[in-house]
């Protein structure tokens, strides 16, 4: 049984334990599916190399489609990483298969814990193209240990945190950070789930090599299982 199947089985029996990750009204809101692959011809090298232009591009897409949030990315082969040295493996196969889900929105947007747990670790991964401020929670699901990672946050969110600190389901834990503090990205949340942290603290790969996909599917559940956004609220539009 892969990671997604194991998590899905637990969540099916415990729907009352699940809370939101971002504020969304599924009756009125839509989430715009943003694709960052080679299929999206709007993402030129010029845009991808310029944080300000990339921010403007994302914001314009959301505004044009009357969406507060964009979403996408799980197991997506991403062109955008081709210009980020963070994902270069020095002549080897590049890490460009995205392992989490990105939720794009305004800087300052609140982020919530979808499950009760404790703070496993946190740190500021302060490199160009990295997570920036990052919080990782640990959740005990009747013996199944699940970790949730929240990247690209505000630096202020790391102040006053302590490892082992209790977090309630639905508790606000962070806000989306500005580009200058979030790894130089348009404001968004990188939300990722892991069954095993593999000894890491404050960080975990957000992308892997395409050849390693089967390996990571055993450890990285699909966040959509926990987010539980209805299909009808997700808009798939590649161009304006």
């Amino acid at each position: 049984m892969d990671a997604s199947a194991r998590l899905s089985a637990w969540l099916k029996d415990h729907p009352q334990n699940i809370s939101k990750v971002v504020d969304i009204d599924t009756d009125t809101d839509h989430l715009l599916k943003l694709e960052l692959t080679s299929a999206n011809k709007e993402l030129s090298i010029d845009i991808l190399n310029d944080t300000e232009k990339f921010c403007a591009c994302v914001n314009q897409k959301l505004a044009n489609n009357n969406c507060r949030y964009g979403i996408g990315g799980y197991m997506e082969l991403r062109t955008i990483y081709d210009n980020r040295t963070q994902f270069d493996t020095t002549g080897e196969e590049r890490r460009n298969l995205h392992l989490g889900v990105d939720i794009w929105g305004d800087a300052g947007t609140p982020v919530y814990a979808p499950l009760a747990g404790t703070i496993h670790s946190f740190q500021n991964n302060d490199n160009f193209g990295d997570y920036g401020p990052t919080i990782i929670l640990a959740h005990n699901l009747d013996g199944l240990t699940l970790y949730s990672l929240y990247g690209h946050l505000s630096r202020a969110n790391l102040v006053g945190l302590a490892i082992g600190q209790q977090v309630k389901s639905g508790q606000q834990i962070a806000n989306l950070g500005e580009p200058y503090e979030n790894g130089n990205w348009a404001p968004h949340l990188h939300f990722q789930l892991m069954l095993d942290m593999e000894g890491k603290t404050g960080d975990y790969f957000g992308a892997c090599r395409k050849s390693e996909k089967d390996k990571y599917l055993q450890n990285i559940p699909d966040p959509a299982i926990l987010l539980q956004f209805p299909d009808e609220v997700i808009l798939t539009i590649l161009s304006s």
Side-chain angles (χ1 to χ4, degrees):
M1 184 182 295
D2 68 13
S4 294
R6 294 176 66 189
L7 176 60
S8 181
W10 186 90
L11 294 176
K12 183 178 179 180
D13 293 333
H14 301 82
Q16 72 280 2
N17 294 72
I18 307 169
S19 297
K20 62 188 176 183
V21 174
V22 294
D23 289 311
I24 181 169
D25 184 339
T26 55
D27 291 328
T28 58
D29 278 326
H30 286 91
L31 298 98
L32 182 65
K33 186 173 182 181
L34 295 178
E35 186 169 338
L36 303 184
T37 71
S38 58
N40 190 341
K41 302 304 181 184
E42 292 180 307
L43 291 179
S44 66
I45 294 298
D46 180 52
I47 292 174
L48 295 176
N49 282 334
D50 189 313
T51 301
E52 187 173 336
K53 288 181 180 179
F54 182 53
C55 287
C57 181
V58 171
N59 291 337
Q60 190 63 56
K61 294 292 291 183
L62 295 179
N64 287 353
N65 292 284
N66 195 30
C67 292
R68 275 202 293 166
Y69 303 107
I71 193 168
Y74 180 64
M75 294 297 166
E76 180 177 84
L77 197 62
R78 290 197 153 175
T79 306
I80 191 172
Y81 293 154
D82 290 348
N83 76 313
R84 306 249 170 172
T85 56
Q86 183 70 18
F87 303 93
D88 194 350
T89 52
T90 317
E92 298 179 7
E93 183 185 356
R94 187 176 288 271
R95 292 192 296 112
N96 56 8
L97 188 68
H98 194 249
L99 298 174
V101 160
D102 288 333
I103 302 176
W104 307 85
D106 293 335
T109 295
V111 176
Y112 304 89
L115 297 167
T118 60
I119 294 179
H120 170 270
S121 53
F122 56 92
Q123 70 182 26
N124 187 8
N125 296 290
D126 189 18
N127 300 297
F128 181 82
D130 210 329
Y131 286 136
T134 308
I135 296 173
I136 299 174
L137 303 182
H139 314 275
N140 184 348
L141 309 181
D142 296 332
L144 173 65
T145 301
L146 177 72
Y147 301 93
S148 55
L149 181 151
Y150 310 80
H152 309 298
L153 308 176
S154 169
R155 290 175 190 157
N157 298 145
L158 303 185
V159 177
L161 295 186
I163 293 173
Q165 184 176 328
Q166 296 285 329
V167 175
K168 297 178 180 178
S169 177
Q171 177 182 332
Q172 183 179 345
I173 59 169
N175 304 84
L176 301 192
E178 298 278 2
Y180 72 85
E181 62 183 347
N182 77 359
N184 294 97
W185 294 95
H188 72 288
L189 172 69
H190 177 97
F191 178 61
Q192 184 169 311
L193 305 175
M194 296 80 60
L195 298 186
D196 185 353
M197 283 295 297
E198 302 178 21
K200 297 178 175 63
T201 59
D203 193 10
Y204 189 94
F205 286 144
C208 71
R209 300 178 179 93
K210 184 180 179 182
S211 63
E212 298 175 320
K213 180 177 181 179
D214 288 344
K215 167 190 170 182
Y216 280 95
L217 282 172
Q218 300 306 309
N219 190 44
I220 310 293
D222 185 348
I225 297 170
L226 185 52
L227 292 170
Q228 298 189 350
F229 295 138
D231 290 342
E232 57 268 23
V233 306
I234 300 176
L235 300 180
T236 303
I237 301 173
L238 281 182
S239 59
S240 300

